[in-house]
Amino acid sequence: MLIAALGMVAYLAGAFVTDYDALRGAMRNLGWSGAALVLGLSLLNYVLRFVRWHWYLHDLGHALPWARHLTIYLGGFLFTVSPAKAGEAVRGLYLKEHGVPYADTFAALFVERLLDFLAYALLAILIVVRYPDYRPFLGLAFALAAVLLILAGRPGLPRWIEGLAARRGPRVATPLRALAQLLQSSRRMLRASLLVPGLAIGLVSWGAEGIGFHLICEGLTLDVPPMSATSIYAIAGLAGAATFFMPGGIGGMEAVMTALLTALGAPLPLAIVATLLCRLATLWFAVFLGFFAIAALEMRMFRPIARPST
């Protein structure tokens, strides 16, 4: 929570210090309706991804009420500013109370990350066509996604891990069995009937945030077409994912967004302001919502689900 609060303050301070006049002009050009639209596109991203998440857990046999489940899902965003966004796995602590094993939560998180990574790569194709220097990076991203899909889809791998666990002591066998269960659940969620619509949701949801980035650039009078803005956002997202140990991809994503905007002719101060505003409206807005969701969960504002008697 402290990191999240300091991060939001730092981003706001950075935008003010870089070019206060540009920031004020952008907010004036966007207006309340434009700012609401940018945040609304971010909300669309969160809601669509939650629908996919809810669908995955339902397919694994877990029935959860929408309101409760949505609050748990949003609560994970408070911990987005963690290495590889791994802190979002905190959802498992709340879902465990409702009969969802940790392995299923981690499997859903793994599949969500994998499909989002692939969606980023597909959305980034346009900007890579224009800037060939990024082609090896994008090719590596597609190769990594393909390897993960193949490994997660191999039916024999969980059985092999189970066999390995049977020959080990309890300390090693327990995590190995959890890994085998995670892979089994992941394979189920990666079958074609779920993979294709799951990827489509990723394309639409992250594309929405790319359009929000375009609107921010428009407010700063930067000539960045919607498709270019979406591709810049996507390749920057891949860069953020590459900085695995940086909380929420902070650093890598901002550097690439700013560099590509300046390559398109944007003055450096405006490019920095556009990047910071975009991150405030996407990453830090999610953290802000996550704070209230976690507060609601901790204050027990929702009644626990009644479990059937055995």
Side-chain angles (χ1 to χ4, degrees):
M1 293 183 194
L2 179 61
I3 292 173
L6 291 174
M8 282 188 276
V9 171
Y11 270 63
L12 283 170
F16 275 101
V17 170
T18 302
D19 196 328
Y20 173 72
D21 290 335
L23 175 64
R24 185 175 60 180
M27 299 310 297
R28 184 173 58 249
N29 291 338
L30 277 174
W32 288 106
S33 60
L37 180 57
V38 171
L39 294 178
L41 288 167
S42 292
L43 275 175
L44 177 63
N45 171 286
Y46 312 149
V47 170
L48 286 175
R49 286 162 58 203
F50 163 70
V51 169
R52 181 178 62 185
W53 174 277
H54 186 84
W55 186 19
Y56 285 157
L57 289 188
H58 185 270
D59 186 74
L60 292 174
H62 307 297
L64 293 164
W66 280 83
R68 173 77 175 185
H69 197 187
L70 176 60
T71 307
I72 292 172
Y73 184 80
L74 292 177
F77 288 153
L78 176 60
F79 303 94
T80 293
V81 283
S82 58
K85 299 183 180 180
E88 290 186 21
V90 73
R91 295 170 187 147
L93 297 175
Y94 296 99
L95 291 171
K96 182 69 173 178
E97 299 176 1
H98 306 289
V100 181
Y102 291 132
D104 285 356
T105 299
F106 296 154
L109 187 64
F110 167 72
V111 171
E112 182 185 52
R113 288 285 178 274
L114 177 56
L115 293 187
D116 287 344
F117 186 80
L118 189 54
Y120 271 145
L122 291 171
L123 290 171
I125 289 176
L126 179 64
I127 204 69
V128 169
V129 170
R130 187 167 181 176
Y131 296 99
D133 289 346
Y134 289 91
R135 288 177 186 173
F137 177 62
L138 186 61
L140 182 62
F142 275 118
L144 178 59
V147 168
L148 291 174
L149 281 170
I150 291 170
L151 287 176
R154 288 182 65 86
L157 186 57
R159 291 195 296 269
W160 181 81
I161 294 174
E162 285 280 5
L164 188 63
R167 299 190 297 271
R168 297 291 184 271
R171 289 187 178 182
V172 177
T174 299
L176 283 176
R177 290 194 178 97
L179 176 60
Q181 186 180 348
L182 184 151
L183 288 171
Q184 287 175 344
S185 299
S186 298
R187 180 171 172 267
R188 180 171 175 176
M189 288 182 283
L190 288 172
R191 65 185 189 273
S193 59
L194 289 179
L195 175 63
V196 174
L199 179 59
I201 287 175
L203 290 170
V204 174
S205 60
W206 292 112
E209 290 204 342
I211 298 300
F213 180 47
H214 160 72
L215 294 175
I216 290 171
C217 291
E218 200 173 54
L220 288 163
T221 65
L222 297 176
D223 184 19
V224 185
M227 288 302 297
S228 295
T230 301
S231 290
I232 289 173
Y233 185 83
I235 195 73
L238 288 175
T243 55
F244 186 83
F245 293 104
M246 293 302 292
I250 294 172
M253 190 165 184
E254 288 82 356
V256 171
M257 289 177 76
T258 302
L260 285 172
L261 284 175
T262 54
L264 289 174
L268 181 59
L270 291 184
I272 293 174
V273 171
T275 298
L276 294 177
L277 285 177
C278 178
R279 293 291 267 167
L280 280 169
T282 53
L283 172 66
W284 297 107
F285 181 46
V287 172
F288 179 76
L289 293 177
F291 173 82
F292 287 102
I294 288 292
L297 291 168
E298 290 300 314
M299 292 171 64
R300 306 297 180 186
M301 294 177 64
F302 295 89
R303 294 181 179 179
I305 297 173
R307 297 183 181 177
S309 57
T310 55

